Amino acid sequence: MKTNQIWFVTGASRGLGLALVRQLLATGYSVAATSRNLAELRGTVPPEQAGFLALHMDLGDEASVQQALTAAVTHFGRLDVVVNNAGFGQLGALEELTDAESRRNFDVNVFGLLHVLRHATPLLRAQGRGRVFNIASIGGFTGAFPGWGVYCATKFAVAGLTASYAAEVREFGVQASVVYPGYFRTDFLTASSLGTPAQPMAAYQAVRESQQAHEQSINGNQPGDPEKAAQVLIEVSHAEQQPLHLFLGADAYQLADQQLQAVQQDMQQWQAVATATDLAVNA
């Protein structure tokens, strides 16, 4: 694979973003990497490394996003691959989460991603080529996780907007994928990356059990290797036609299969009634 691609990766100071940046640099790619915490990013990836540009970017500030993208293009001359990886998890039953907690998750996971697309797309469109990977979650394909309703809603939004975005930019030579990772062994479930409700309600036993399981049992025992996930993204970036839907991990495939079967079952069960809804045609 040719390694002359220039990548723009958000949320690069930890997790999948960090694994991707390290692997790209190790194999000769050029990378503009962003983080809210520039010192943390520079501490994990030495800034003097060739082909690496560390940038501060606040996803909640559209001007900051535009400045980071402008700096990347000024430095490298172009961008070939954009990875919208930045985001965080928000636990809590829909009833117990405050409006501010819910909106904060959407501001980062959805509107922050939109800020990047809004300012990266003119660059990709003008050059007539480009690849985009929007990192969602298997929770953006199936929402059957008690306590993850708002987070799943943000990732369902990412899936929906990516599908429309891919259709919009296809004529300009730009391809886009929504990526659905399963459980990968990153710090996603640690206290520094996971939001929890300020006002938990004891009535939601299933939510509390889910929260405890994710914080204590699943955290640190996730089956997925982020280094291998990064390898998949790099390989797909060179495919002649990248997939619109990219599932990562055996667990993601299993959960997706279960969701597809459940949808098909519901459709078949109610098809006769639900499709008899057209306006009557006079003989």
Side-chain angles (χ1 to χ4, degrees), residues 258-280:
Q258 292 173 0
Q259 175 71 356
L260 291 170
Q261 291 173 18
V263 170
Q264 289 176 343
Q265 181 177 340
D266 286 344
M267 290 178 66
Q268 292 168 3
Q269 180 178 353
W270 289 96
Q271 182 174 4
V273 174
T275 59
T277 51
D278 291 347
L279 290 168

Side-chain angles (χ1 to χ4, degrees), residues 80-211:
D80 299 306
V81 185
V82 175
V83 181
N84 280 301
N85 169 71
F88 74 96
Q90 177 63 60
L91 263 168
L94 296 178
E95 180 185 355
E96 66 188 1
L97 287 178
T98 65
D99 183 72
E101 288 171 325
S102 300
R103 287 181 182 271
R104 179 171 173 263
N105 208 203
F106 271 89
D107 283 342
V108 173
N109 293 5
V110 180
F111 292 103
L113 181 148
L114 281 171
H115 289 333
V116 175
L117 290 181
R118 190 175 299 116
H119 293 286
T121 302
L123 306 170
L124 304 178
R125 179 166 50 82
Q127 66 193 23
R129 68 183 186 280
R131 304 296 184 103
V132 175
F133 293 95
N134 292 330
I135 310 300
S137 163
I138 189 57
F141 193 77
T142 173
F145 300 96
W148 292 91
V150 164
Y151 174 74
C152 287
T154 68
K155 296 305 185 178
F156 268 83
V158 169
L161 67 85
T162 303
S164 291
Y165 177 77
E168 293 168 358
V169 298
R170 184 181 300 118
E171 64 182 294
F172 306 118
V174 179
Q175 299 185 44
S177 298
V178 54
V179 184
Y180 304 94
Y183 287 98
F184 280 81
R185 197 164 301 182
T186 68
D187 61 357
F188 176 76
L189 295 177
T190 62
S192 62
S193 299
L194 184 63
T196 54
Q199 302 172 8
M201 300 172 62
Y204 282 97
Q205 182 177 352
V207 172
R208 298 285 77 79
E209 291 174 352
S210 175
Q211 180 175 345

